[in-house]
Amino acid sequence: MVSRIIPVDPFDLVVFGGTGDLARRKILPALFRRFCAGQMERGTRIIGAARTEMDDVAYRAFIAEALIEFNEGKGGCEPGKIKEFQKILSYVTLDARGELGWSELSEKMHPGRVRAFYFSVGPSLFGDLALRLHQYGMADSDTRIVVEKPFGRDLETARALNKSLADHFDESQIYRIDHYLGKETVQNLMAIRFGNMLFEPLWNSQYVDHIQITVAETVGVGGRGDYYDRSGAMRDMVQNHLMQLLCLIAMEPPSHFDPDAVRDEKLKVIRALGEVDPKDIVRGQYLADDEKPGYLEHVENPRSLTESFIALKLDVVNWRWSGTPFYLRTGKRLKSRTSEIAVVFKETPHNIFDDDNDRHRNILTIRLQPNEGIDLDVTIKEPGPGGMRLVDVPLDMTFSEALGPEGEDIPDAYERLIMDVVRGNQTLFMRGDEVEAAWAWTDPLIAAWEKGATKPIPYDSGSSGPEEALALMHRDGRKWRDLRI
Ligand code: NAD
């Protein structure tokens, strides 16, 4: 099944921070793939803007290198396409904090067409960029701005960021990006829940035993040690990505699939989160192995109390979910790179079969990576003679197999999200009040462990995290799903 390409009207996209790591690795390659797919009409322009001094020719060459490095073989782009793509690229040397480059940029803008400004810079520059866009007459109703994480480090800073944007832009113009929401599977989660009759009647505490959300990484903090040590897994992953996944799993059906209806329902989930008992939180730091340094060496801070792993149990206190716990875990230098949501249904109430097995349960697994797809574990009879022995097998819906050859037709999250910005669809972007509500829930938890100067528990690199995280579920008679290699 080949995905349908619906071209978008010509637009101008300015990438502030257009020479940065995110622009090179993700944003420009994503735009290139949409270009190759034929989604951009003639006349579309992409303008890099950053402090680095460069002209158009140098920028085109710089981006061509990035495309070769980060786009090889993906998205059906033929080598010759880079030259064509280069023609829609230009560059402005610009200082977010000064006047350099702003007049030049505003002169480049075409009136009467969609213009999007991607803030691919640190959040400390968001306010400056918003202000200058306004001062230089580029903040009109055709303008959209896209902001990257981290959106604040607590409620206070998030509020200040929201205000600095709201001074010049309406909420309907602000696209706070969380690339997890752009994944095919995450959207499919909504299709599965709200497009089928099968699951929704069972989607509550009467039938669901518990829900697990795992985002495991094999990498350490790498070159981001300084930033990460001021952040930690709770701020860097739970407050945004895991929280967003939790919202989509737990929310009520919106009346329509439109941005505010969906985001209203997500907000209600965050507001329904219960207090978390400190004993239901496990924080860890990875240790060195034979080849790589441990967390403390990585961040060059032997006294660091920041967590590179966190597991927690939480409750969504409402009619639907009362009694069904949610277990979240995320960490670095773990056994495998796995992101998944598992909806673990209750056991059958009674076993009519005289097999030796325990009672069986269905598990719906939404895999975000690797190998995006959805599995439903169902219980069937083990094939062959020898009586009625039961076995659990997955009904597998791997999107790359079901929907296209080797996943080539599945746009990656950035491709989809940037095109949504151009189309003006905010459904998959976080609204300001959602972000603030998530911080309002996160802040007291962080404050409690910071006040107690609680030390994270060391865990082996390549493991599933601290033993205590396993115990968090064992004590409830449950267990984490294996981090499959
Ligand atoms: P980076 O340091 O590699 O790039 C920063 C860019 O900002 C450069 O182009 C630089 O020239 C530009 N810049 C800095 N000061 C400027 C100024 N005063 N005026 C104009 N331009 C200026 O950073 P990055 O890794 O590309 O990250 C950008 C943002 O995206 C950060 O907020 C980061 O947290 C976020 N982010 C990055 C990643 C990633 O994978 N790199 C992932 C998610 C979020």
Side-chain angles (χ1 to χ4, degrees):
M1 198 188 304
V2 177
S3 60
R4 218 155 28 105
I5 306 291
I6 303 170
V8 292
D9 288 341
F11 61 91
D12 288 341
L13 175 69
V14 177
V15 184
F16 290 122
T19 57
D21 177 65
L22 184 67
R24 286 180 66 247
R25 281 194 310 112
K26 295 286 182 190
I27 302 172
L28 270 302
L31 288 164
F32 179 49
R33 287 195 290 275
R34 289 296 89 207
F35 177 82
C36 296
Q39 199 158 24
M40 292 181 196
E41 293 279 13
R42 188 183 278 273
T44 290
R45 299 179 313 158
I46 297 164
I47 304 163
R51 225 169 18 177
T52 325
E53 274 200 36
M54 247 189 225
D55 60 13
D56 290 349
V57 176
Y59 191 62
R60 288 176 188 138
F62 172 80
I63 294 302
E65 263 179 43
L67 298 181
I68 291 165
E69 185 175 350
F70 297 110
N71 209 49
E72 219 173 349
K74 281 193 214 152
C77 290
E78 299 146 19
K81 282 279 183 189
I82 292 188
K83 274 206 164 14
E84 269 179 57
F85 183 65
Q86 281 178 314
K87 290 186 194 144
I88 71 168
L89 292 179
S90 62
Y91 183 78
V92 177
T93 305
L94 169 147
D95 184 2
R97 292 216 160 110
E99 305 312 313
L100 176 71
W102 285 95
S103 299
E104 191 189 336
L105 183 66
S106 71
E107 280 161 22
K108 272 185 178 247
M109 293 292 116
H110 285 168
R113 58 154 69 184
V114 167
R115 55 168 83 121
F117 295 92
Y118 199 127
F119 291 14
S120 179
V121 295
S124 61
L125 295 180
F126 290 177
D128 296 290
L129 290 174
L131 172 66
R132 283 189 172 66
L133 284 173
H134 168 75
Q135 286 174 336
Y136 282 83
M138 288 179 273
D140 61 23
S141 58
D142 290 326
T143 300
R144 289 151 202 180
I145 59 171
V146 185
V147 293
E148 266 294 342
K149 81 169 216 189
F151 201 84
R153 54 171 283 109
D154 53 22
L155 179 57
E156 196 186 333
T157 49
R159 273 193 182 139
L161 278 180
N162 273 337
K163 179 168 181 327
S164 69
L165 301 180
D167 283 346
H168 308 293
F169 295 96
D170 186 72
E171 181 63 33
S172 63
Q173 297 176 283
I174 305 171
Y175 292 72
R176 293 174 196 77
I177 211 161
D178 182 327
H179 66 273
Y180 274 64
L181 293 185
K183 290 196 176 275
E184 185 74 18
T185 336
V186 170
Q187 289 166 77
N188 239 311
L189 170 60
M190 287 189 275
I192 292 240
R193 275 194 68 189
F194 305 131
N196 294 285
M197 196 54 209
L198 193 60
F199 294 109
E200 202 47 29
L202 307 179
W203 211 260
N204 56 52
S205 59
Q206 202 181 338
Y207 295 101
V208 178
D209 178 73
H210 72 278
I211 290 172
Q212 303 185 15
I213 303 179
T214 297
V215 177
E217 298 178 282
T218 50
V219 293
V221 296
R224 296 165 69 224
D226 188 38
Y227 157 75
Y228 194 91
D229 203 38
R230 283 179 279 117
S231 171
M234 185 69 156
R235 287 191 173 99
D236 191 48
M237 298 297 290
V238 176
Q239 185 274 343
N240 39 57
H241 304 314
L242 279 82
M243 183 73 79
Q244 289 296 318
L245 300 179
L246 168 76
C247 286
L248 295 177
I249 281 281
M251 73 184 191
E252 294 300 316
S255 58
H256 292 286
F257 189 61
D258 80 32
D260 277 326
V262 171
R263 298 185 302 177
D264 286 346
E265 295 306 334
K266 283 163 60 196
L267 179 61
K268 286 185 206 159
V269 174
I270 304 174
R271 292 195 173 146
L273 291 175
E275 275 182 35
V276 182
D277 190 327
K279 76 172 177 21
D280 289 336
I281 302 179
V282 178
R283 298 164 63 242
Q285 274 176 350
Y286 60 83
L287 292 167
D289 61 16
D290 294 343
E291 288 164 18
K292 296 197 181 113
Y295 180 80
L296 297 176
E297 298 93 76
H298 247 148
V299 299
E300 298 176 7
N301 178 7
R303 295 217 189 97
S304 171
L305 298 178
T306 306
E307 74 285 352
S308 62
F309 173 97
I310 188 164
L312 63 166
K313 172 183 170 186
L314 51 91
D315 295 309
V316 177
V317 187
N318 62 17
W319 191 290
R320 185 188 284 261
W321 293 117
S322 183
T324 296
F326 289 71
Y327 298 89
L328 275 48
R329 68 176 160 168
T330 181
K332 295 197 171 288
R333 290 290 287 280
L334 296 175
K335 192 167 149 189
S336 69
R337 180 165 174 261
T338 304
S339 298
E340 65 169 38
I341 304 167
V343 180
V344 181
F345 288 90
K346 291 191 171 167
E347 291 175 341
T348 48
H350 163 68
N351 186 3
I352 66 164
F353 304 105
D354 289 332
D355 62 342
D356 299 333
N357 293 322
D358 293 336
R359 279 181 290 160
H360 295 267
R361 55 169 90 222
N362 302 113
I363 302 177
L364 180 73
T365 311
I366 299 114
R367 293 190 311 268
L368 277 72
Q369 66 190 18
N371 213 10
E372 269 194 80
I374 293 180
D375 285 340
L376 176 64
D377 284 1
V378 290
T379 304
I380 58 164
K381 176 190 165 297
E382 203 176 284
M388 198 67 178
R389 286 192 310 274
L390 300 187
V391 56
D392 295 333
V393 295
L395 282 179
D396 183 351
M397 193 170 127
T398 304
F399 295 144
S400 53
E401 284 163 20
L403 302 180
E406 293 163 18
E408 278 196 352
D409 289 311
I410 303 178
D412 93 351
Y414 277 93
E415 292 176 59
R416 173 174 295 113
L417 292 173
I418 296 171
M419 286 299 118
D420 278 358
V421 173
V422 175
R423 280 188 286 253
N425 184 347
Q426 289 185 303
T427 311
L428 300 174
F429 296 83
M430 295 176 292
R431 210 168 52 191
D433 52 1
E434 265 184 84
V435 176
E436 290 186 14
W439 280 122
W441 179 80
T442 316
D443 276 0
L445 303 178
I446 297 176
W449 71 61
E450 284 184 352
K451 188 165 168 230
T454 324
K455 214 172 152 12
I457 303 160
Y459 62 92
D460 287 335
S461 286
S463 70
S464 301
E467 288 292 318
E468 286 76 354
L470 305 182
L472 177 72
M473 288 197 81
H474 280 165
R475 88 172 178 236
D476 294 344
R478 302 182 172 108
K479 67 183 176 68
W480 291 106
R481 287 165 57 78
D482 274 348
L483 292 178
R484 280 164 293 177
I485 299 184

